Amino acid sequence: MGKKRYTVSKAVSVLMTDVDQHAVTSSLAVMLKKNGKVKVPTDIEFFKTGMFKEIGPDDADWFYARCASILRHLYKRRPLGVGRLCKIYGGRLRRGNRPGRFCKASGGVMRRALKALEDGKMVIRKPNGSRVLTPTLQRDMDRLAQVIIKIDREVLALQQKRKKIRKPVSNRMYKIKIRNT
């Protein structure tokens, strides 16, 4: 008789870049609001996010969402400063009959968001003025990505059970797009 061969299953590490970024940003915003490390400025209701906007954000928790989005950008493109973040969040300035132009986002919002993240010990300021994530936050963001992947797999399993669709060919669940009907 032949020898038995045992296969060792390798654990696949999931990074934050492997997950749907909208899910990451929204769950990070909920986490920031829940743990209370980010202090919202008192005059935040009077802010606009850029010169190209007519009015400020309608959502009451928009500052948490912006901080979560900044953390996501810091994870992907480190190190970042205020100027680069203003370019990332910039948009089209509409000028009436003249052609639209690119306009940077508000630097004050970026500075206050980065300052709130620094005070919460989530971001470290380098000597040249740029910011990077702390290693503990980077680890927590990767763990959050694993939780999101686990939830997506459970939702996909429930949908497959309900609709009895064929199993996906790909093993990576984040590549599968599910249509809500």
Side-chain angles (χ1 to χ4, degrees):
M1 294 207 169
K3 293 181 182 179
K4 289 185 178 180
R5 294 186 180 182
Y6 295 101
T7 59
V8 178
S9 64
K10 295 180 180 177
V12 178
S13 64
V14 178
L15 299 177
M16 198 198 69
T17 54
D18 299 335
V19 185
D20 178 31
Q21 298 302 301
H22 179 70
V24 168
T25 305
S26 59
S27 56
L28 262 176
V30 169
M31 185 183 78
L32 289 176
K33 186 175 180 181
K34 189 176 182 181
N35 67 11
K37 288 185 178 179
V38 175
K39 303 294 181 198
V40 179
T42 56
D43 57 347
I44 203 73
E45 60 196 29
F46 304 112
F47 283 5
K48 290 193 323 180
T49 55
M51 191 181 82
F52 57 95
K53 298 285 189 180
E54 290 186 10
I55 58 173
D58 293 335
D59 188 15
D61 298 330
W62 72 269
F63 191 75
Y64 295 111
R66 180 55 60 101
C67 288
S69 180
I70 287 173
L71 288 176
R72 184 181 70 84
H73 280 292
L74 279 170
Y75 185 94
K76 290 177 78 172
R77 315 177 178 113
R78 55 186 160 254
L80 286 178
V82 175
R84 178 69 56 89
L85 285 171
C86 288
K87 283 184 185 178
I88 289 171
Y89 289 102
R92 189 174 127 224
L93 176 66
R94 295 169 47 181
R95 304 187 310 155
N97 290 335
R98 296 174 292 174
R101 286 187 167 179
F102 177 78
C103 183
K104 290 183 181 180
S106 172
V109 173
M110 300 303 160
R111 271 190 298 278
R112 289 189 183 207
L114 286 172
K115 181 68 176 156
L117 293 171
E118 282 177 24
D119 292 342
K121 305 280 192 258
M122 295 181 218
V123 174
I124 300 170
R125 187 175 188 158
K126 288 186 146 192
N128 63 354
S130 62
R131 273 77 167 196
V132 291
L133 293 177
T134 58
T136 56
L137 182 68
Q138 190 170 355
R139 184 185 66 227
D140 292 342
M141 288 172 80
D142 288 335
R143 286 181 183 164
L144 181 68
Q146 289 175 350
V147 169
I148 291 172
I149 286 286
K150 183 179 176 184
I151 290 171
D152 285 347
R153 286 182 181 163
E154 290 173 1
V155 168
L156 184 65
L158 285 174
Q159 286 182 350
Q160 285 177 349
K161 189 175 181 181
R162 239 186 266 148
K163 294 184 179 180
K164 295 186 180 182
I165 59 173
R166 63 182 179 86
K167 291 200 170 208
V169 180
S170 175
N171 192 13
R172 297 199 176 227
M173 294 296 155
Y174 60 86
K175 289 185 177 178
I176 299 170
K177 293 185 179 177
I178 303 167
R179 292 185 181 172
N180 295 333
T181 55

